[in-house]
Amino acid sequence: MHDVVIVGGGPAGLFLACELRLAGARPLVLERRAEPDPSDKAHGLTGQVVQLLDHRGLFTRCGGRDAPEPAPGFHFGGIPLPLHTLGADNPMHLLPIDQRELERVLTERAAELDAEIRRGWEVLSFRQDDEQVEVVARDADGSERTCTARYLVGCDGGGSLVRKQAGIAFPGSSDDHAVDRTALIAPGDGYRALPGGRVAIDGLGEIPAAFHRTERGVFTLLAHHPERMLISTTEWEEHPAGDAPGPGTPMTWAELEDSVARVLGVRLPLSPPPAGAPTLLRRMCGRNYRIADRYRVGRVFLAGDAAHVSHGPTLNTALHDAANLGWKLGAAVRGRAPEGLLDSYATERRACAERVLLHTRAGSALLSPGAEVDALRTLFTELLDRPENLHAVAALVAGSDVRYDMGEAHPAAPTGGFAPEFELTTADGRTLRLAELLREAHPLLIDLTGTEALAAAMEPWRGQVHRVTATAKSAPAPALLIRPDGYVAWAGNTPTGLHAALTRWFAQT
């Protein structure tokens, strides 16, 4: 019997497998695709999740340099955000990486941690009782097999079989008129990328490379690679021609050229990237904004797109889902989960999903055509001149504006938030970033008080929670109790406060 069966071997499922192994659990990933998905999907990670990957030592493996640095700018609804003006209060980080490459890195990491991944296994059904979950799947040879586990997690996308068979509703709304057309194209003579996030278009001139809005729609042309550029349009159509794959015929190059001509008013000759390079030619009609009404039914959980979908940074949210659920399931299978720990997963992560739906709906509305939207964009841009408003929007987009309830009536900052990065010097003389102490996903007490008072309070948890005594010049509190998912469970200097937080989140050894 495995501890956890994960249905779906995309980024959420793979990262969850890694987190479960770090938590001491034995996961099994069942992925219906025999080979990794070659299609072009997400092109980067934004916000707080970049710091999460840094916690696990994956930031540099995903192409980052040294340590995450705040991004000087970003956008909201196509409106530029001058984040460099926020200085040290800038919450936004960026990590350009294709989803294919992210899955490769996570697959390698899962193998290093000895997580079992079975490709070509399609889950057909499952049943659960008070003790276990039985999963029926068709293996790579076409034979039906049964796997048993303590828990089951559906990371199987927006059309999740796990969610449907668990009887979990998926309420929300749809915009049936927005049509997104996207392709990877070879560099051409009629267009070229320019410094400063701009692009030159023959017959039109210089325009912003990202989210150039016109009366007819939105145009984007991004140079992610010397041999290929990502081009996309968004239009609002009364009668969309259907999705591909799905209802309607697959998109053609002529269709994309026609769409660009309608949006920009000039026609661009487009061609695919060189042979052997990744390809993409996709039409997506409509946008869904949905959150599962439950994230758990008994021993069955949902994470990632199986739990929430939106026209936005769902990949960022999915990886945080995995980090939140992984250590909690690990504690449960080891018999170290306090009462209510597993239920806290849905409470915490659903609040984050609701914020993602809020800002993706608002961002889509700001991009839509119309004089009323023009006026709204003008007003919104004026409001962003105020630093407090700019910071609030940046925190919303970065996913750092949600504070978890850690059980205190009047918690000290930064309790409930993601641990802020700072440098510390340990008792043995090492100078480290906080992220370097979170590589193994252990619960961590950073004790900067210079006394032994907190050591006595955590004695019943000594074998489970790691205490690091250190000094720091810019620490946010005298001591911080940090959960494995990177969130601060308590901050302060009182033994009673620490004892209460430890009791709430971790069973005594």
Side-chain angles (χ1 to χ4, degrees):
M1 176 187 292
H2 290 83
D3 291 326
V4 182
V5 166
I6 301 168
V7 182
L14 292 170
F15 192 52
L16 177 58
C18 295
E19 293 293 288
L20 286 165
R21 288 299 297 135
L22 291 173
R26 294 174 295 108
L28 169 63
V29 179
L30 300 179
E31 167 56 45
R32 65 180 179 84
R33 293 180 181 271
E35 300 293 338
D37 187 353
S39 62
D40 195 271
K41 295 182 180 178
H43 295 90
L45 299 171
T46 60
Q48 195 167 263
V49 71
V50 177
Q51 295 169 285
L52 173 62
L53 292 186
D54 186 35
H55 285 186
R56 297 299 183 260
L58 297 173
F59 175 72
T60 54
R61 292 178 65 164
C62 289
R65 294 184 178 180
D66 300 324
E69 294 288 343
F74 199 58
H75 53 81
F76 180 76
I79 298 174
L81 301 177
L83 301 178
H84 64 279
T85 63
L86 294 176
D89 292 329
N90 183 356
M92 178 60 72
H93 296 82
L94 304 178
L95 180 59
I97 182 172
D98 291 334
Q99 184 166 324
R100 296 183 309 275
E101 178 65 10
L102 176 62
E103 290 187 14
R104 184 192 65 78
V105 171
L106 293 177
T107 299
E108 287 183 355
R109 182 56 176 154
E112 293 167 3
L113 294 170
D114 199 28
E116 185 176 356
I117 301 172
R118 298 180 186 173
R119 292 194 173 275
W121 282 58
E122 181 180 6
V123 171
L124 304 175
S125 64
F126 65 85
R127 61 177 298 274
Q128 62 170 317
D129 56 32
D130 293 340
E131 301 296 328
Q132 65 183 26
V133 184
E134 292 184 354
V135 181
V136 178
R138 183 181 295 114
D139 68 16
D141 296 325
S143 300
E144 286 194 7
R145 303 290 187 91
T146 299
C147 307
T148 59
R150 299 275 302 280
Y151 297 97
L152 172 67
V153 182
C155 296
D156 50 342
S160 172
L161 176 143
V162 173
R163 185 187 66 240
K164 293 173 182 177
Q165 291 200 358
I168 298 174
F170 206 34
S173 63
S174 299
D175 178 355
D176 296 330
H177 301 294
V179 181
D180 298 293
R181 294 177 174 90
T182 309
L184 287 173
I185 63 174
D189 295 332
Y191 43 87
R192 61 189 183 278
L194 300 174
R198 299 183 67 78
V199 62
I201 305 290
D202 287 355
L204 183 64
E206 292 187 17
I207 62 173
F211 299 106
H212 177 63
R213 181 174 172 269
T214 73
E215 294 181 357
R216 291 298 308 272
V218 180
F219 172 84
T220 296
L221 183 63
L222 302 176
H224 287 301
H225 190 278
E227 293 185 346
R228 55 187 182 272
M229 307 176 80
L230 179 71
I231 190 171
S232 66
T233 63
T234 301
E235 297 179 87
W236 283 261
E237 303 177 6
E238 287 299 320
H239 303 288
D243 210 346
T249 59
M251 189 175 76
T252 65
W253 287 100
E255 178 185 335
L256 181 58
E257 289 179 354
D258 290 343
S259 179
V260 171
R262 287 192 298 270
V263 173
L264 292 183
V266 298
R267 179 169 291 276
L268 300 182
L270 306 176
S271 57
T279 61
L280 173 68
L281 189 62
R282 180 178 64 199
R283 180 202 314 116
M284 297 183 65
C285 297
R287 295 174 177 177
N288 284 314
Y289 305 93
R290 301 184 180 279
I291 302 178
D293 67 353
R294 291 172 289 170
Y295 279 27
R296 177 189 184 186
V297 174
R299 294 182 171 272
V300 178
F301 294 80
L302 302 177
D305 285 359
H308 44 76
V309 295
S310 69
H311 188 74
T314 54
L315 179 54
N316 305 332
T317 312
L319 296 180
H320 273 294
D321 289 348
N324 188 295
L325 182 58
W327 75 271
K328 294 174 181 177
L329 280 179
V333 300
R334 299 194 325 272
R336 292 182 175 179
E339 184 177 355
L341 181 67
L342 290 181
D343 288 333
S344 72
Y345 164 67
T347 301
E348 293 176 348
R349 295 309 304 160
R350 201 175 196 285
C352 294
E354 288 171 349
R355 297 297 287 177
V356 171
L357 261 66
L358 170 69
H359 87 70
T360 53
R361 280 171 166 153
S364 293
L366 285 169
L367 282 169
S368 60
E372 295 85 356
V373 179
D374 294 343
L376 183 61
R377 289 173 64 87
T378 299
L379 175 60
F380 201 85
T381 301
E382 292 177 1
L383 293 174
L384 289 175
D385 285 337
R386 301 177 184 177
E388 64 273 21
N389 294 337
L390 177 61
H391 182 270
V393 172
L396 173 66
V397 176
S400 60
D401 64 331
V402 173
R403 290 290 184 270
Y404 293 160
D405 180 5
M406 295 297 178
E408 293 183 90
H410 304 288
T415 303
F418 199 72
E421 183 59 75
F422 62 93
E423 194 173 81
L424 49 86
T425 302
T426 61
D428 58 4
R430 293 179 299 156
T431 299
L432 301 168
R433 295 187 302 115
L434 176 64
E436 295 176 82
L437 296 171
L438 294 166
R439 298 289 191 250
E440 301 302 319
H442 297 302
L444 184 66
L445 175 66
I446 302 295
D447 189 348
L448 309 172
T449 62
T451 73
E452 292 298 309
L454 299 182
M458 67 166 290
E459 184 62 33
W461 292 269
R462 181 173 296 276
Q464 182 180 178
V465 179
H466 290 208
R467 173 175 174 251
V468 176
T469 59
T471 59
K473 295 180 180 180
S474 59
L480 298 95
L481 177 63
I482 303 174
R483 304 188 323 187
D485 59 350
Y487 279 79
V488 179
W490 169 84
N493 59 8
T494 64
T496 54
L498 174 60
H499 189 277
L502 288 166
T503 301
R504 179 182 180 90
W505 296 109
F506 310 107
Q508 296 183 10
T509 302

